[in-house]
Structures are given as C-alpha cells and as structure tokens.
Amino acid sequence: MSDYIFTPPVQASVAVRGTSARYAVSRIFCVGRNYAAHAREMGSDPDREPPFYFSKPACALVPSGSTVAYPPATKNYHYEMELVVALGAPVFKVTPEVARAAVWGYAAGLDMTRRDLQADAKANGRPWDTAKGFDQSAIITELVRASETGPMGAGAITLAVNGVEKQRGDLADMIWNVAEIVANLSQLYHLHPGDLIYTGTPEGVGPVLPGDLITGQIAGLPDISLTIAARD
C-alpha cells in the first residue's frame, strides 16, 4: 500500500541516442543572454554582464517532434534555439577544468517563452517564472554523450520557422562557454547528475503562431522540431 496521498508524477527523463537507457532529469537551469548579439536585441550590454540564471520545472520537458498547444495568457509566444548540457557528476565550487569533466552529454533544445509576460516582469522587477517555466516550455532532442561529440565549443546553431531561417549563430559566440557556465553555476548550487543547463540563444528570436513548424540544428547533434497547435 502506498504512503503517498496522490500518485507521484512520472520521473522526467530524456532519451539517449543509440541506447534504450534514459537520462533522469531533476532540474533545468537556463542561462540568460549568453550571446552578445541576442543580449543587444533584448536591450542589454553583454560586455559588462556576468552570467545569470532562471529555471524551468523538469515537468516542462517535451521531446523533439512533438506538437504543443499555443500557451494561454500570451499573444507573443517566442522560440529560442539553445545548446543543452547534461551533467554526469556532482560539482560544487569547481574550476572550469573540473566542470568540463562533469559534462555527460549534449542535446539541442528550445526555450519557449511568453515574451509579453517576460517584458511585463522585467518592467515591474518581478520574477520570470510565468514567462519561462510554463507547461511544455522546454523542448529537447535525444542526448548525445560528450565522449561522442567532444567539447562542443564551436559549431553552427540555426533555427527556421516554416522553412525560413530566423536564427543563425555559432557556439563559439557564447559569452560564457560550457565549462565556464558549469563552473559559475557551481558557485551557487550543489550540481548533480540529472541537472540540465540550457546555455542561451543567438539573435533572431521571434514569435510563432498556431500551425507553425519550428526546426533547428546544432552541428553534431540531432535536429529538433516542434509543431504549434491551436491555443490551449
């Protein structure tokens, strides 16, 4: 007989390329404005800004290839194409060299955003939770082991909507690279296997509407896709 009042939710997890095993997810961290051109298009000065973070619940994860409803309470629903890092070892207050060894794998991801709610939160000095951490807001491909990809320090990252390219950048354009992000985040948290980090997006973010198809690529990783359905 269960001691739970309600049935616990299913463990959030991500498929791993080439195996039936899955990567169990505990937390999702996201880096804000980590590409200089995107920081400028959002009205910030990237030359003086250290990394900052927000989070999404693990239950927000949706596999690539899914169809999701246009979310409620927004009229400005945006895509953000990102490299996702999966940790495979515990780290706390480590150097970038140690942080690099803790990376287990990589995926392509979409940080879906209710941009109008984010703008309102910024204007009023409020948290971004409703803009970033809503249902089905973290899209992800299969994970690929870091032993297969290498360090992912450079390579094209692109996104298209209905076949029209909207975002194009290079992982080398990140203000803070993967090892630096993990090391910096480890000054704030005890990080563990099961933690995902969405590492920021290039310039060119923009809105999508019901019926739109989002596709994206990061060199060396599975392609990502997402179809937008009618309003929820």
Coordinates of all heavy atoms in Angstrom, one line a residue, residues 58-141:
A58 N 11.2 20.4 -14.3 CA 11.6 19.2 -15.1 C 10.3 18.7 -15.9 O 10.4 18.2 -17.0 CB 12.1 18.1 -14.2
C59 N 9.1 19.0 -15.3 CA 7.9 18.5 -16.0 C 7.6 19.4 -17.2 O 6.7 19.0 -18.0 CB 6.7 18.6 -15.0 SG 6.3 20.2 -14.4
A60 N 8.4 20.4 -17.5 CA 8.2 21.2 -18.7 C 8.8 20.6 -19.9 O 8.6 21.0 -21.1 CB 8.7 22.6 -18.5
L61 N 9.6 19.5 -19.7 CA 10.3 18.9 -20.8 C 9.3 18.2 -21.8 O 8.3 17.6 -21.4 CB 11.2 17.8 -20.3 CG 12.6 18.3 -19.7 CD1 13.3 17.2 -19.1 CD2 13.4 18.9 -20.8
V62 N 9.6 18.4 -23.1 CA 8.8 17.8 -24.2 C 9.8 17.3 -25.3 O 10.8 18.1 -25.6 CB 7.9 18.9 -24.9 CG1 7.2 18.3 -26.1 CG2 6.9 19.4 -23.9
P63 N 9.7 16.1 -25.8 CA 10.6 15.6 -26.7 C 10.5 16.3 -28.1 O 9.4 16.7 -28.5 CB 10.3 14.1 -26.8 CG 8.9 14.0 -26.4 CD 8.7 15.1 -25.4
S64 N 11.6 16.4 -28.8 CA 11.6 16.9 -30.2 C 10.6 16.1 -31.0 O 10.5 14.9 -30.8 CB 13.0 16.9 -30.7 OG 13.0 17.2 -32.1
G65 N 10.0 16.8 -31.9 CA 9.0 16.1 -32.8 C 7.6 16.2 -32.3 O 6.6 15.7 -33.0
S66 N 7.4 16.8 -31.1 CA 6.1 16.9 -30.6 C 5.2 18.0 -31.2 O 5.8 18.9 -31.8 CB 6.2 17.1 -29.0 OG 6.8 16.0 -28.4
T67 N 4.0 18.0 -30.9 CA 3.0 19.1 -31.2 C 2.6 19.6 -29.8 O 2.1 18.9 -29.0 CB 1.8 18.6 -32.0 OG1 2.3 18.2 -33.3 CG2 0.8 19.8 -32.2
V68 N 2.7 20.9 -29.6 CA 2.2 21.5 -28.4 C 1.2 22.6 -28.6 O 1.3 23.3 -29.7 CB 3.4 22.1 -27.5 CG1 4.5 21.0 -27.2 CG2 4.1 23.3 -28.2
A69 N 0.3 22.8 -27.7 CA -0.7 23.9 -27.9 C 0.0 25.3 -27.7 O 0.9 25.4 -26.9 CB -1.8 23.7 -26.8
Y70 N -0.5 26.2 -28.4 CA -0.2 27.6 -28.1 C -0.6 27.9 -26.7 O -1.7 27.8 -26.3 CB -0.9 28.6 -29.1 CG -0.3 30.0 -29.2 CD1 0.5 30.4 -30.2 CD2 -0.7 30.9 -28.2 CE1 1.0 31.7 -30.2 CE2 -0.2 32.2 -28.3 CZ 0.6 32.6 -29.3 OH 1.1 33.9 -29.3
P71 N 0.3 28.4 -25.9 CA 0.0 28.5 -24.4 C -1.0 29.6 -24.1 O -1.1 30.6 -24.8 CB 1.4 28.8 -23.8 CG 2.1 29.5 -24.9 CD 1.7 28.8 -26.1
P72 N -1.6 29.5 -22.9 CA -2.6 30.6 -22.5 C -1.8 31.8 -22.0 O -0.6 31.8 -21.8 CB -3.3 29.9 -21.4 CG -2.4 28.9 -20.8 CD -1.6 28.4 -22.0
A73 N -2.6 32.9 -21.9 CA -2.1 34.2 -21.3 C -1.0 34.9 -22.1 O -0.3 35.7 -21.5 CB -1.7 33.9 -19.9
T74 N -0.9 34.6 -23.4 CA 0.2 35.3 -24.1 C -0.4 35.6 -25.5 O -1.2 34.8 -26.1 CB 1.5 34.5 -24.2 OG1 2.5 35.3 -24.9 CG2 1.3 33.2 -25.0
K75 N 0.2 36.6 -26.1 CA -0.1 37.0 -27.5 C 1.3 37.1 -28.2 O 1.3 37.6 -29.4 CB -0.9 38.3 -27.6 CG -2.3 38.2 -27.1 CD -3.0 39.5 -27.2 CE -4.4 39.4 -26.7 NZ -5.2 40.7 -26.8
N76 N 2.4 36.7 -27.6 CA 3.7 36.9 -28.2 C 4.6 35.7 -27.7 O 5.4 35.8 -26.8 CB 4.3 38.2 -27.7 CG 5.4 38.7 -28.6 OD1 5.6 38.2 -29.7 ND2 6.2 39.6 -28.1
Y77 N 4.4 34.5 -28.3 CA 5.0 33.3 -28.0 C 6.2 33.1 -28.8 O 6.2 33.0 -30.1 CB 4.0 32.2 -28.2 CG 4.3 30.7 -27.9 CD1 5.0 30.4 -26.8 CD2 3.9 29.7 -28.8 CE1 5.3 29.1 -26.5 CE2 4.2 28.4 -28.5 CZ 4.9 28.1 -27.4 OH 5.2 26.8 -27.1
H78 N 7.4 33.0 -28.2 CA 8.7 33.0 -28.9 C 9.5 31.7 -28.8 O 9.4 31.0 -27.8 CB 9.6 34.1 -28.3 CG 9.3 35.5 -28.9 ND1 10.3 36.5 -29.1 CD2 8.1 36.1 -29.3 CE1 9.7 37.6 -29.5 NE2 8.4 37.3 -29.7
Y79 N 10.3 31.5 -29.8 CA 11.3 30.4 -29.8 C 12.6 30.9 -29.4 O 12.9 32.1 -29.6 CB 11.4 29.8 -31.2 CG 11.7 30.8 -32.2 CD1 13.0 31.3 -32.4 CD2 10.7 31.4 -33.0 CE1 13.2 32.3 -33.3 CE2 10.9 32.3 -34.0 CZ 12.2 32.8 -34.1 OH 12.5 33.8 -35.0
E80 N 13.5 30.1 -28.8 CA 14.9 30.4 -28.5 C 15.6 29.1 -28.7 O 15.5 28.1 -27.9 CB 15.1 30.9 -27.1 CG 14.4 32.3 -26.9 CD 14.8 33.0 -25.6 OE1 15.8 32.5 -24.9 OE2 14.2 33.9 -25.2
M81 N 16.5 29.0 -29.7 CA 17.2 27.8 -30.0 C 18.5 27.7 -29.1 O 19.2 28.7 -29.1 CB 17.6 27.8 -31.5 CG 18.4 26.6 -31.9 SD 17.4 25.1 -31.9 CE 18.7 23.9 -32.3
E82 N 18.8 26.6 -28.5 CA 19.8 26.5 -27.5 C 20.6 25.2 -27.5 O 20.0 24.1 -27.7 CB 19.3 26.8 -26.1 CG 18.4 28.0 -26.0 CD 18.4 28.7 -24.7 OE1 19.0 28.2 -23.7 OE2 17.6 29.7 -24.6
L83 N 21.8 25.2 -27.1 CA 22.6 24.0 -26.8 C 22.3 23.7 -25.3 O 22.2 24.5 -24.4 CB 24.1 24.3 -26.9 CG 25.0 23.2 -26.4 CD1 25.0 22.0 -27.3 CD2 26.5 23.7 -26.2
V84 N 22.0 22.4 -25.1 CA 21.7 21.9 -23.7 C 22.8 21.0 -23.2 O 23.3 20.1 -24.0 CB 20.3 21.1 -23.7 CG1 20.0 20.7 -22.3 CG2 19.2 22.0 -24.3
V85 N 23.2 21.2 -22.0 CA 24.3 20.4 -21.3 C 23.6 19.5 -20.3 O 22.8 20.0 -19.5 CB 25.3 21.4 -20.7 CG1 26.3 20.6 -19.9 CG2 26.0 22.3 -21.7
A86 N 24.1 18.3 -20.2 CA 23.6 17.3 -19.2 C 24.8 16.9 -18.4 O 25.8 16.5 -18.9 CB 23.0 16.1 -19.9
L87 N 24.7 17.1 -17.1 CA 25.7 16.8 -16.1 C 25.7 15.3 -15.8 O 24.7 14.7 -15.7 CB 25.7 17.6 -14.9 CG 25.8 19.1 -15.1 CD1 25.8 19.9 -13.8 CD2 27.1 19.5 -15.9
G88 N 26.9 14.8 -15.5 CA 27.1 13.4 -15.2 C 27.9 13.1 -13.9 O 28.2 12.0 -13.6
A89 N 28.2 14.2 -13.2 CA 29.0 14.1 -12.0 C 28.6 15.2 -11.1 O 28.3 16.3 -11.5 CB 30.5 14.1 -12.3
P90 N 28.7 15.0 -9.7 CA 28.4 16.2 -8.8 C 29.6 17.2 -8.8 O 30.8 16.8 -8.8 CB 28.3 15.4 -7.5 CG 29.1 14.2 -7.6 CD 29.0 13.8 -9.0
V91 N 29.2 18.4 -8.8 CA 30.2 19.5 -8.7 C 29.8 20.6 -7.8 O 28.6 20.9 -7.8 CB 30.6 20.1 -10.1 CG1 31.4 19.1 -11.0 CG2 29.3 20.5 -10.9
F92 N 30.7 21.2 -7.1 CA 30.4 22.3 -6.2 C 31.6 23.2 -6.0 O 32.7 22.7 -5.6 CB 29.9 21.8 -4.8 CG 29.5 22.9 -3.9 CD1 28.5 23.9 -4.2 CD2 30.2 23.0 -2.6 CE1 28.2 24.9 -3.3 CE2 29.8 24.0 -1.7 CZ 28.9 25.0 -2.1
K93 N 31.5 24.4 -6.4 CA 32.6 25.4 -6.3 C 33.8 24.9 -7.0 O 34.9 24.8 -6.5 CB 32.9 25.7 -4.9 CG 31.8 26.5 -4.2 CD 32.1 26.9 -2.8 CE 31.0 27.7 -2.1 NZ 31.4 28.1 -0.7
V94 N 33.7 24.5 -8.3 CA 34.8 24.0 -9.1 C 35.3 25.0 -10.1 O 34.7 26.0 -10.4 CB 34.3 22.7 -9.8 CG1 33.9 21.6 -8.8 CG2 33.2 22.9 -10.8
T95 N 36.5 24.6 -10.6 CA 37.1 25.4 -11.7 C 36.5 25.0 -13.1 O 35.9 23.9 -13.2 CB 38.6 25.1 -11.8 OG1 38.8 23.7 -12.1 CG2 39.3 25.5 -10.4
P96 N 36.7 25.8 -14.1 CA 36.2 25.3 -15.4 C 36.8 24.0 -15.9 O 36.1 23.2 -16.6 CB 36.6 26.5 -16.3 CG 36.6 27.7 -15.4 CD 37.1 27.2 -14.1
E97 N 38.0 23.7 -15.5 CA 38.7 22.5 -15.9 C 38.0 21.3 -15.3 O 37.7 20.3 -15.9 CB 40.2 22.5 -15.5 CG 41.0 23.4 -16.2 CD 40.8 24.9 -15.9 OE1 40.3 25.2 -14.7 OE2 41.0 25.8 -16.8
V98 N 37.6 21.4 -14.0 CA 36.8 20.3 -13.3 C 35.4 20.2 -13.9 O 34.9 19.2 -14.1 CB 36.8 20.5 -11.8 CG1 35.9 19.5 -11.1 CG2 38.2 20.4 -11.2
A99 N 34.8 21.4 -14.1 CA 33.5 21.5 -14.7 C 33.4 20.8 -16.0 O 32.4 20.1 -16.3 CB 33.0 22.9 -14.8
R100 N 34.4 20.9 -16.8 CA 34.4 20.3 -18.2 C 34.3 18.8 -18.1 O 33.5 18.2 -18.9 CB 35.6 20.7 -18.9 CG 35.7 20.3 -20.4 CD 36.9 20.8 -21.1 NE 36.9 22.2 -21.2 CZ 37.8 23.0 -20.5 NH1 38.6 22.5 -19.7 NH2 37.7 24.3 -20.7
A101 N 34.9 18.2 -17.1 CA 34.9 16.8 -17.0 C 33.6 16.3 -16.5 O 33.3 15.1 -16.6 CB 36.1 16.4 -16.1
A102 N 32.8 17.1 -15.9 CA 31.5 16.7 -15.3 C 30.4 16.7 -16.4 O 29.3 16.2 -16.1 CB 31.1 17.7 -14.2
V103 N 30.6 17.2 -17.6 CA 29.6 17.2 -18.6 C 29.4 15.8 -19.2 O 30.4 15.2 -19.7 CB 30.0 18.2 -19.7 CG1 29.0 18.1 -20.9 CG2 30.0 19.6 -19.2
W104 N 28.2 15.3 -19.1 CA 27.9 13.9 -19.6 C 27.5 13.9 -21.0 O 27.9 12.9 -21.8 CB 26.8 13.3 -18.7 CG 26.6 11.8 -19.0 CD1 27.2 10.8 -18.5 CD2 25.7 11.3 -20.0 NE1 26.8 9.6 -19.0 CE2 25.8 9.9 -19.9 CE3 24.7 11.9 -20.8 CZ2 25.0 9.1 -20.8 CZ3 24.0 11.1 -21.6 CH2 24.1 9.7 -21.6
G105 N 26.8 14.9 -21.4 CA 26.3 14.9 -22.8 C 25.6 16.2 -23.2 O 25.6 17.1 -22.4
Y106 N 25.2 16.2 -24.5 CA 24.6 17.4 -25.0 C 23.3 17.1 -25.8 O 23.2 16.0 -26.3 CB 25.6 18.1 -26.0 CG 26.9 18.5 -25.4 CD1 28.0 17.7 -25.4 CD2 27.0 19.8 -24.8 CE1 29.2 18.1 -24.8 CE2 28.2 20.2 -24.2 CZ 29.3 19.4 -24.3 OH 30.5 19.8 -23.7
A107 N 22.5 18.1 -25.9 CA 21.3 18.0 -26.8 C 21.0 19.4 -27.4 O 21.5 20.4 -27.0 CB 20.1 17.5 -26.0
A108 N 20.1 19.4 -28.4 CA 19.6 20.6 -28.9 C 18.3 20.9 -28.2 O 17.5 20.0 -27.9 CB 19.3 20.6 -30.4
G109 N 18.0 22.2 -27.9 CA 16.8 22.5 -27.1 C 16.1 23.8 -27.6 O 16.7 24.6 -28.2
L110 N 14.8 23.9 -27.2 CA 14.1 25.1 -27.5 C 13.6 25.6 -26.1 O 12.9 24.9 -25.4 CB 12.9 24.9 -28.4 CG 13.1 24.5 -29.8 CD1 11.8 24.1 -30.5 CD2 13.9 25.6 -30.6
D111 N 14.0 26.9 -25.8 CA 13.5 27.6 -24.6 C 12.3 28.4 -25.1 O 12.5 29.5 -25.5 CB 14.6 28.4 -24.0 CG 14.1 29.4 -23.0 OD1 12.9 29.3 -22.5 OD2 14.8 30.4 -22.7
M112 N 11.1 27.9 -25.0 CA 9.9 28.6 -25.4 C 9.5 29.6 -24.4 O 9.6 29.3 -23.2 CB 8.8 27.6 -25.7 CG 9.1 26.6 -26.8 SD 9.6 27.2 -28.4 CE 8.1 28.0 -28.9
T113 N 9.1 30.8 -24.8 CA 9.0 31.9 -23.9 C 7.7 32.7 -24.2 O 7.4 33.0 -25.4 CB 10.2 32.9 -24.1 OG1 11.4 32.1 -23.9 CG2 10.1 34.1 -23.2
R114 N 7.0 33.1 -23.2 CA 5.8 34.0 -23.3 C 6.5 35.4 -23.2 O 6.6 36.0 -22.1 CB 4.8 33.8 -22.2 CG 4.1 32.4 -22.4 CD 2.9 32.2 -21.6 NE 3.1 31.8 -20.2 CZ 2.3 31.1 -19.5 NH1 1.1 30.7 -20.0 NH2 2.6 30.8 -18.3
R115 N 6.8 36.0 -24.3 CA 7.7 37.2 -24.3 C 7.0 38.4 -23.7 O 7.6 39.2 -23.1 CB 8.1 37.6 -25.8 CG 9.2 38.6 -25.8 CD 10.5 38.1 -25.3 NE 11.1 37.2 -26.2 CZ 12.1 36.4 -25.9 NH1 12.6 36.3 -24.6 NH2 12.6 35.5 -26.8
D116 N 5.7 38.5 -23.9 CA 4.9 39.6 -23.4 C 4.9 39.6 -21.8 O 5.0 40.6 -21.1 CB 3.5 39.8 -23.9 CG 2.8 38.4 -24.1 OD1 3.3 37.4 -23.7 OD2 1.7 38.5 -24.6
L117 N 4.8 38.4 -21.3 CA 4.8 38.2 -19.8 C 6.2 38.5 -19.3 O 6.4 39.0 -18.2 CB 4.4 36.8 -19.4 CG 3.0 36.4 -19.8 CD1 2.6 35.1 -19.1 CD2 2.0 37.5 -19.5
Q118 N 7.3 38.1 -20.1 CA 8.6 38.4 -19.7 C 8.9 39.9 -19.6 O 9.5 40.5 -18.7 CB 9.6 37.7 -20.6 CG 11.1 37.9 -20.1 CD 12.1 37.4 -21.2 OE1 11.8 37.5 -22.4 NE2 13.2 36.9 -20.7
A119 N 8.4 40.6 -20.7 CA 8.6 42.1 -20.7 C 7.9 42.8 -19.6 O 8.4 43.7 -19.0 CB 8.0 42.6 -22.1
D120 N 6.7 42.3 -19.2 CA 6.0 42.9 -18.1 C 6.7 42.6 -16.8 O 6.8 43.5 -15.9 CB 4.6 42.3 -18.0 CG 3.7 42.9 -16.9 OD1 3.4 44.1 -17.0 OD2 3.4 42.1 -15.9
A121 N 7.3 41.4 -16.6 CA 8.0 41.1 -15.4 C 9.2 41.9 -15.3 O 9.6 42.4 -14.2 CB 8.4 39.6 -15.4
K122 N 10.0 42.1 -16.4 CA 11.1 43.0 -16.4 C 10.8 44.4 -16.0 O 11.4 45.0 -15.2 CB 11.8 43.0 -17.8 CG 12.5 41.7 -18.2 CD 13.1 41.9 -19.6 CE 13.8 40.7 -20.1 NZ 14.3 40.9 -21.4
A123 N 9.7 44.9 -16.6 CA 9.3 46.3 -16.3 C 8.9 46.5 -14.9 O 9.1 47.6 -14.3 CB 8.2 46.7 -17.2
N124 N 8.4 45.5 -14.2 CA 8.0 45.6 -12.8 C 8.9 45.0 -11.8 O 8.6 44.9 -10.6 CB 6.6 45.0 -12.7 CG 5.5 45.8 -13.4 OD1 5.1 46.8 -12.9 ND2 5.1 45.4 -14.6
G125 N 10.1 44.6 -12.3 CA 11.1 44.0 -11.4 C 10.6 42.7 -10.7 O 11.0 42.4 -9.6
R126 N 9.9 41.9 -11.5 CA 9.3 40.6 -11.0 C 10.0 39.4 -11.6 O 10.7 39.5 -12.6 CB 7.8 40.6 -11.3 CG 7.0 41.6 -10.6 CD 5.6 41.6 -11.1 NE 4.8 42.7 -10.4 CZ 3.6 43.1 -10.8 NH1 3.0 42.6 -11.9 NH2 2.9 44.0 -10.2
P127 N 9.9 38.2 -10.9 CA 10.5 37.0 -11.5 C 9.9 36.7 -12.9 O 8.8 37.1 -13.2 CB 10.1 36.0 -10.4 CG 9.8 36.7 -9.2 CD 9.2 38.0 -9.6
W128 N 10.7 35.8 -13.6 CA 10.3 35.4 -14.9 C 9.5 34.1 -15.0 O 9.3 33.5 -16.0 CB 11.6 35.2 -15.8 CG 12.3 36.5 -16.1 CD1 12.1 37.7 -15.6 CD2 13.5 36.6 -16.9 NE1 13.0 38.6 -16.1 CE2 13.9 37.9 -16.9 CE3 14.2 35.7 -17.7 CZ2 15.0 38.4 -17.6 CZ3 15.3 36.1 -18.4 CH2 15.6 37.5 -18.4
D129 N 9.1 33.5 -13.8 CA 8.6 32.2 -13.8 C 7.5 32.0 -14.8 O 7.4 31.0 -15.5 CB 8.1 31.8 -12.4 CG 9.2 31.9 -11.4 OD1 9.9 32.9 -11.2 OD2 9.5 30.8 -10.8
T130 N 6.5 32.9 -14.8 CA 5.3 32.7 -15.7 C 5.7 32.8 -17.2 O 5.0 32.3 -18.1 CB 4.2 33.6 -15.4 OG1 4.6 35.0 -15.5 CG2 3.7 33.4 -14.0
A131 N 6.8 33.5 -17.5 CA 7.2 33.7 -18.8 C 8.1 32.6 -19.3 O 8.1 32.3 -20.5 CB 8.1 35.0 -18.9
K132 N 8.7 31.9 -18.5 CA 9.7 30.9 -18.9 C 9.4 29.4 -18.4 O 9.7 28.5 -19.1 CB 11.1 31.2 -18.3 CG 11.7 32.5 -19.0 CD 12.2 32.2 -20.4 CE 13.1 33.2 -20.9 NZ 13.6 32.9 -22.3
G133 N 8.7 29.3 -17.2 CA 8.6 28.0 -16.6 C 7.2 27.4 -16.7 O 6.8 26.6 -15.9
F134 N 6.6 27.6 -17.8 CA 5.2 27.1 -18.0 C 5.2 25.7 -18.7 O 6.3 25.2 -19.0 CB 4.4 28.1 -18.9 CG 5.0 28.4 -20.2 CD1 4.6 27.8 -21.4 CD2 5.9 29.4 -20.4 CE1 5.1 28.1 -22.6 CE2 6.5 29.7 -21.6 CZ 6.1 29.1 -22.7
D135 N 4.0 25.1 -18.8 CA 3.9 23.8 -19.3 C 4.5 23.7 -20.7 O 4.3 24.6 -21.6 CB 2.4 23.4 -19.4 CG 1.8 23.3 -18.0 OD1 2.5 23.2 -17.0 OD2 0.5 23.4 -18.0
Q136 N 5.2 22.6 -21.0 CA 5.7 22.3 -22.4 C 6.6 23.4 -22.9 O 6.6 23.7 -24.1 CB 4.5 22.0 -23.3 CG 3.7 20.9 -22.9 CD 2.6 20.6 -23.9 OE1 1.9 21.5 -24.4 NE2 2.4 19.3 -24.2
S137 N 7.4 24.0 -22.0 CA 8.2 25.1 -22.5 C 9.7 24.8 -22.7 O 10.5 25.6 -23.1 CB 8.2 26.3 -21.4 OG 8.7 25.8 -20.2
A138 N 10.1 23.5 -22.4 CA 11.5 23.1 -22.6 C 11.5 21.9 -23.6 O 11.2 20.8 -23.2 CB 12.1 22.7 -21.2
I139 N 11.8 22.2 -24.8 CA 11.8 21.1 -25.9 C 13.2 20.6 -25.9 O 14.2 21.4 -25.8 CB 11.4 21.7 -27.2 CG1 10.2 22.6 -27.1 CG2 11.1 20.6 -28.2 CD1 9.0 22.1 -26.3
I140 N 13.4 19.3 -26.2 CA 14.7 18.7 -26.2 C 14.8 17.5 -27.1 O 13.9 16.8 -27.2 CB 15.2 18.3 -24.7 CG1 16.7 18.1 -24.6 CG2 14.3 17.2 -24.2 CD1 17.2 18.0 -23.2
T141 N 16.0 17.4 -27.7 CA 16.3 16.2 -28.6 C 16.8 15.1 -27.7 O 17.0 15.2 -26.5 CB 17.3 16.5 -29.6 OG1 18.6 16.8 -29.0 CG2 16.9 17.7 -30.5

